Amino acid sequence: MAHRDNPEFLSASTIKGDKVVNTAGEDLGKIEELMIDVDDGRIAYAALSFGGFLGMGNKLFAIPWQALKLRLHEHTFLLDIPKETLERAEGFDKDNWPAADREWLSDTYTYYGYQPYWQRRAEEQTEIRGEVGAERLSRESASENPIFLSADSIKGNKVVNRDGNDIGKIDEIMIDLQDGNVAYAAVSHGGILGIGSKLFAIPWKAFSLRIRDNAFILDIPEETFDKAEGFDKSHWPLTRQELSGTFTHYGFEPYWQAAAVGAGVSAGVMGETEAEKMSRMERERKGLVKTDEELKARQERERLEGLKETQEEKISRLEQERMERERQTETERERLSRLEKEQMELENQSRVEKEKLAGLEKELQESIRLEETEKVSRLEKEVNLLQGQEQSRRERLAQLESERARVGKLEETEKERHARLEKERMEAERREESEKERLARLEKERMEAERKVETEQERL
C-alpha cells in the first residue's frame, strides 16, 4: 500500500541523477534528463548516460520509461534490456539532442521491444469506439504534432491565467512512478515578497503551453483556484489517494481512474458480436445523462470528503498562519530598514569615491599630457632608427640576391660539366665493353688454332 515512506510520486529533480543498473547489479550509468510529452502529460523518454559501460561514455540514449523499474530505497533504477541490444543501440551526442518526433521515438520504442504509449492509448480508444484499428491509428498519427520538453526546461516557467495575468511559476513536476504520467505540477503562488508562499498541486491537463511567451496558461476559473488549499514544502502529496481530492476540486477526473475505466470498457467489449455492440452502445446512450449525474454526485462527495475539516480546526490553523505571516512581515520590515541604512552608507561611500576618482582623473590627464610630449620625441627617434635598419636590410638583401645569382650560375656550369663527364664515362664504358668482346673473340680464335695444331700433330 502506498504511503509517505513508499510514495507513488517522485519529483523530476529527485529522479534525475539516479543511477541505473542491469539485472546482474552492474552499474550502467545514470538518468541525465526526463523528456516530457507536453500534450500527453507523461514521460516521452528518459535520457541515460552509460558512463564507461560498453564504451558508450560520450553519448546519451533515449530509453522508454516502461523499461526502467525503481528500487526506491536504493535510489536506483533497474534497466532490464539485454547487453547485446544496448551494444547495437544508436545514441546521440550530449551537445546535439535529436529533434524528436513520434516517428523517431516510435523507432526507438520498437527497437527496445516496447509499444509507444500513444499507440497503446489509440488502440484502447479504438476498441471502445468500435473503429477499425489501422484507420484510427492512421488518423491519430496524422493529427499529432507533439512538443517534447525537458523537465528542467519546464521548471521555472511562469504560469498565467486566461487573461495573461501572472499567477506564479512551476516549481517542480511530480512523476507517477507506475505509468510515467505527470501526476501534477507544483505551482508557487501568493506570499509577501516571496515569503510564506504556498505550493499548489495542479493537474497537468489544466495547462496549455504558450510557446512565444515561454509560459503556461492555467485554464482554471479564478474563484476555483482561490479556494484551493495549497501545501508547504514539507508535506508534498505523494500518493494518488492524497491527490484525488485535488483533481476533483479543479474539475478533472484523476488520470488513473480514467485509465481504469478505459481498460474496463475495453475488456468488456472484447469478443462482442456486432448486434451486442450496437445494443450496448444504445444502452450507454440512453443512460448517459444518469451516468453524468452519478459521476458529478460522486465527484462532489469526493470533493467534500477531501476538504472535510472542522470549523474550529480551520479557524485555529488560519489564525496560526495569520500570526506567522505577521511575524514574517515584521521580520521583513526590519530587514528592509537595515537594507535602507546600508544603502545610505553605501551612497555616502560612493560620493567619497566619486570625489576621489575625479581627483585621480585630473592627475591622470596631466600625466598623459606630459607623457605624450615625451612619447612623440621617443617615437621620432625610434622611427629614424627603424628607417636606418630598413635601409641596411635592403642593401643586405640586394647583396644576397647578387650572391644567389652568382651561385646559381656556378651551379648551372657545374651541372653542365657533370653531364659532360657522365657522357665521357658512358663512352669509355662502351669502348671497354667492345674491347672485352674483341679480346674474347681473339681468345676463342687462339684456342681454335691450338686445337687444330694438336690435331695435325696427332695425325702425323
Side-chain angles (χ1 to χ4, degrees):
M1 180 178 291
H3 50 79
R4 304 201 68 79
D5 293 330
N6 185 29
E8 293 177 304
F9 312 143
L10 283 180
S11 68
S13 299
T14 300
I15 295 172
K16 183 179 174 181
D18 275 358
K19 70 177 182 179
V20 180
V21 299
N22 60 16
T23 52
E26 296 174 308
D27 190 357
L28 302 183
K30 66 178 180 177
I31 296 177
E32 295 285 350
E33 188 57 270
L34 299 177
M35 296 301 292
I36 306 300
D37 185 327
V38 176
D39 295 334
D40 262 2
R42 63 177 298 132
I43 297 175
Y45 64 90
L48 271 60
S49 63
F50 286 128
F53 182 75
L54 301 177
M56 298 175 173
N58 297 323
K59 286 188 175 183
L60 295 179
F61 294 82
I63 304 295
W65 179 255
Q66 301 97 300
L68 296 166
K69 301 295 183 292
L70 176 63
R71 292 177 174 176
L72 180 64
H73 300 293
E74 299 175 20
H75 298 285
T76 300
F77 282 86
L78 172 65
L79 180 60
D80 190 11
I81 292 178
K83 181 178 180 180
E84 56 273 15
T85 302
L86 292 176
E87 287 178 331
R88 295 193 300 269
E90 291 189 9
F92 55 90
D93 190 81
K94 293 181 179 180
D95 299 322
N96 187 22
W97 288 58
D101 54 27
R102 284 194 172 160
E103 182 179 355
W104 172 83
L105 197 55
S106 179
D107 292 341
T108 301
Y109 270 67
T110 302
Y111 174 76
Y112 289 115
Y114 290 89
Q115 183 183 25
Y117 55 87
W118 62 90
Q119 292 181 6
R120 185 169 61 254
R121 184 191 66 246
E123 288 179 355
E124 290 171 356
Q125 293 174 352
T126 297
E127 292 170 355
I128 294 171
R129 300 178 186 178
E131 297 181 85
V132 178
E135 295 176 357
R136 176 65 178 175
L137 287 173
S138 176
R139 287 201 302 276
E140 290 283 340
S141 299
S143 62
E144 290 170 345
N145 184 22
I147 298 173
F148 300 122
L149 293 178
S150 68
D152 269 358
S153 67
I154 293 174
K155 288 169 54 180
N157 272 270
K158 67 179 180 179
V159 178
V160 299
N161 61 16
R162 297 168 181 171
D163 298 325
N165 298 323
D166 193 4
I167 292 177
K169 67 174 183 177
I170 296 178
D171 269 37
E172 187 59 87
I173 56 175
M174 300 295 290
I175 304 300
D176 190 316
L177 298 173
Q178 180 175 327
D179 53 21
N181 274 295
V182 176
Y184 63 90
V187 175
S188 59
H189 171 72
I192 302 173
L193 299 175
I195 299 175
S197 61
K198 282 193 170 187
L199 296 178
F200 293 82
I202 307 295
W204 187 257
K205 292 298 183 183
F207 294 103
S208 57
L209 177 61
R210 184 184 287 174
I211 297 178
R212 65 178 182 276
D213 296 331
N214 197 28
F216 283 86
I217 301 173
L218 181 58
D219 191 16
I220 290 176
E222 186 175 349
E223 58 274 13
T224 302
F225 188 69
D226 289 341
K227 293 177 182 177
E229 292 190 7
F231 61 91
D232 57 46
K233 294 185 178 181
S234 62
H235 192 80
W236 292 64
L238 296 178
T239 67
R240 290 178 173 181
Q241 183 178 0
E242 291 178 292
L243 194 61
S244 179
T246 301
F247 269 73
T248 305
H249 173 75
Y250 291 119
F252 290 89
E253 183 181 14
Y255 59 87
W256 60 89
Q257 292 181 6
V261 171
V265 173
S266 176
V269 299
M270 291 290 287
E272 289 182 319
T273 65
E274 192 64 29
E276 289 171 342
K277 187 181 295 183
M278 294 297 293
S279 175
R280 177 180 55 77
M281 292 175 66
E282 181 63 20
R283 290 195 305 273
E284 289 176 355
R285 184 185 65 79
K286 290 180 179 180
L288 184 60
V289 175
K290 182 179 179 181
T291 302
D292 286 345
E293 291 175 352
E294 291 175 350
L295 177 60
K296 289 179 181 178
R298 188 179 75 250
Q299 289 176 343
E300 182 64 18
R301 286 196 303 272
E302 291 176 354
R303 187 180 71 83
L304 292 175
E305 290 173 0
L307 296 176
K308 65 180 180 181
E309 183 178 39
T310 65
Q311 192 65 23
E312 293 79 5
E313 291 173 343
K314 191 169 185 179
I315 290 172
S316 175
R317 180 172 51 79
L318 292 173
E319 180 65 21
Q320 290 177 1
E321 290 178 359
R322 183 186 65 78
M323 292 175 66
E324 180 66 18
R325 284 197 296 270
E326 288 179 353
R327 186 185 65 78
Q328 291 172 348
T329 302
E330 184 63 29
T331 302
E332 187 63 25
R333 285 174 182 166
E334 293 174 357
R335 190 176 71 85
L336 288 174
S337 176
R338 186 172 66 255
L339 290 175
E340 288 176 355
K341 185 177 180 180
E342 292 177 0
Q343 182 182 6
M344 292 175 64
E345 292 177 354
L346 290 173
E347 287 176 351
N348 290 334
Q349 292 176 3
S350 178
R351 185 172 63 255
V352 172
E353 290 295 328
K354 286 180 180 178
E355 292 174 356
K356 184 177 179 180
L357 182 62
L360 292 174
E361 183 69 24
K362 186 175 180 181
E363 292 177 6
L364 178 62
Q365 293 295 333
E366 182 64 21
S367 298
I368 290 173
R369 187 182 63 78
L370 294 173
E371 288 177 1
E372 285 297 325
T373 303
E374 296 174 356
K375 187 176 181 180
V376 168
S377 176
R378 186 174 68 255
L379 289 175
E380 287 178 350
K381 291 179 181 179
E382 291 178 357
V383 168
N384 291 332
L385 177 61
L386 290 173
Q387 287 176 345
Q389 292 174 347
E390 181 66 19
Q391 183 63 30
S392 298
R393 281 195 296 272
R394 288 178 180 174
E395 292 173 356
R396 177 60 179 163
L397 286 173
Q399 181 181 0
L400 291 173
E401 182 64 24
S402 176
E403 183 69 18
R404 186 188 65 79
R406 186 180 65 80
V407 170
K409 187 175 180 181
L410 289 174
E411 184 179 355
E412 186 64 30
T413 302
E414 184 65 21
K415 285 181 179 179
E416 292 175 356
R417 188 179 70 83
H418 180 74
R420 187 173 63 254
L421 290 174
E422 180 66 18
K423 186 176 180 181
E424 291 175 356
R425 184 186 64 77
M426 292 175 66
E427 180 64 24
E429 288 178 350
R430 188 182 61 79
R431 286 196 301 269
E432 183 180 359
E433 185 66 27
S434 296
E435 186 65 22
K436 286 180 179 180
E437 290 176 356
R438 190 176 69 81
L439 289 173
R441 189 171 60 254
L442 290 174
E443 180 65 21
K444 185 177 180 180
E445 290 176 356
R446 184 186 64 80
M447 291 175 68
E448 182 65 25
E450 287 179 353
R451 187 180 61 80
K452 287 180 179 181
V453 168
E454 290 176 355
T455 303
E456 183 65 25
Q457 287 177 351
E458 289 175 357
R459 190 175 63 83
L460 293 176

